[in-house]
Amino acid sequence: MADDDTLSVTFAALSDPTRRAILARLRQGEATVGELAAPHAMSLPAISRHLKVLERAGLVSKGREAQWRPCRLDAAPLREVDEWLRGYRAFYENRIDRLAAQLADEEES
Amino acid sequence: MADDDTLSVTFAALSDPTRRAILARLRQGEATVGELAAPHAMSLPAISRHLKVLERAGLVSKGREAQWRPCRLDAAPLREVDEWLRGYRAFYENRIDRLAAQLADEEES
DNA sequence: CGGTTAATTGATGATTTGGTTAAGTACAGC
DNA sequence: GCTGTACTTAACCAAATCATCAATTAACCG
């Protein structure tokens, strides 16, 4: 990861497929740590730590209900990712259109 | 990083501010390794490695022109990020609108 | 109280990351 | 061919990451 700026922490949190799977699961609603761990061939402590990474990135928040820690998605940091991405959108959108336009230009000359 | 799926590699590459700065610089057009290194208080080898990370992620490609390696932005992987993000857009967009709606509901009841 | 369940924390270890300096490669030009 | 410029690779080191199992905390329940 290296730095602690929001974007770096967010991207780092998203760079692990297990963590992205957890986020995907949380779109369907709250889930306990155990429920989140179930689909993964991984120990519970490992999932607990992945959740801590997501929490530190502000992507997940945990409640306390008896001995359960219901987790829920907190997507706000993704908006920053979206805004960052916006600065690059022109470079990857309509790629085919722009390629076609370029080819047309070449043909004209 | 951990895994080698495209999205993981891309997010990992983006999780470093130096690398994001390099991408930002490349939006303005091609640049040599030395030119990319100049703004950073960091040795040239360090930048060279950052570039290799970006290359492996498919975000940058290098040419060869005499002893220079002109680098250019290759934004295609960012489209995948955009697509991934799309699945979460509903959770972070119109946050204020949805909050207002929720408050209105509460007031009604 | 004692036992079970849910989850976190500690200790450990392998691997990766991100930086350094020093040496090596490749090309340009005198 | 020699020298300087551009960049990469090698060797090394410190710190972070990601997993493990074992121990701990905390709450419920009979």
Side-chain angles (χ1 to χ4, degrees), chain B residues 14-101:
Chain B
L14 296 176
S15 74
D16 184 285
T18 303
R19 289 194 289 262
R20 290 197 307 278
I22 289 171
L23 292 181
R25 165 63 185 78
L26 289 177
R27 281 187 295 198
Q28 296 163 224
E30 287 193 357
T32 67
V33 177
E35 286 168 346
L36 291 171
H40 302 284
M42 200 178 290
S43 68
L44 201 59
I47 297 293
S48 188
R49 280 166 210 283
H50 279 305
L51 280 169
K52 192 168 281 179
V53 172
L54 290 168
E55 268 190 288
R56 281 202 11 170
L59 286 161
V60 160
S61 51
K62 258 180 257 181
R64 340 187 94 224
E65 217 164 295
Q67 64 262 57
W68 292 275
R69 300 291 124 88
C71 303
R72 56 178 230 277
L73 179 62
D74 208 342
L78 297 182
R79 190 211 298 263
E80 250 179 276
V81 171
D82 196 326
E83 269 155 33
W84 180 87
L85 207 54
R86 188 135 52 220
Y88 293 86
R89 213 151 274 169
F91 293 90
Y92 63 83
E93 261 180 0
N94 302 324
R95 198 65 192 270
I96 291 150
D97 291 356
R98 288 191 294 127
L99 191 66

Side-chain angles (χ1 to χ4, degrees), chain A residues 14-16 20, chain B residues 4-13 77 80-82 84:
Chain A
L14 297 176
S15 73
D16 184 285
R20 290 198 307 278
Chain B
D4 58 344
D5 60 293
T6 309
L7 222 37
S8 295
V9 171
T10 306
F11 278 133
E80 250 179 276
V81 171
D82 196 326
W84 180 87

Side-chain angles (χ1 to χ4, degrees), chain A residues 3-35:
Chain A
D3 281 71
D4 58 345
D5 59 296
T6 310
L7 223 36
S8 294
V9 172
T10 306
F11 278 132
L14 297 176
S15 73
D16 184 285
T18 303
R19 290 195 288 264
R20 290 198 307 278
I22 288 172
L23 293 181
R25 165 64 186 78
L26 289 176
R27 281 187 294 196
Q28 297 162 224
E30 286 193 357
T32 66
V33 178
E35 286 168 345

Side-chain angles (χ1 to χ4, degrees), chain A residues 59-74:
Chain A
L59 287 161
V60 160
S61 52
K62 258 179 259 185
R64 341 185 94 226
E65 217 165 294
Q67 64 263 56
W68 292 275
R69 301 292 124 87
C71 303
R72 59 177 226 277
L73 179 62
D74 208 341

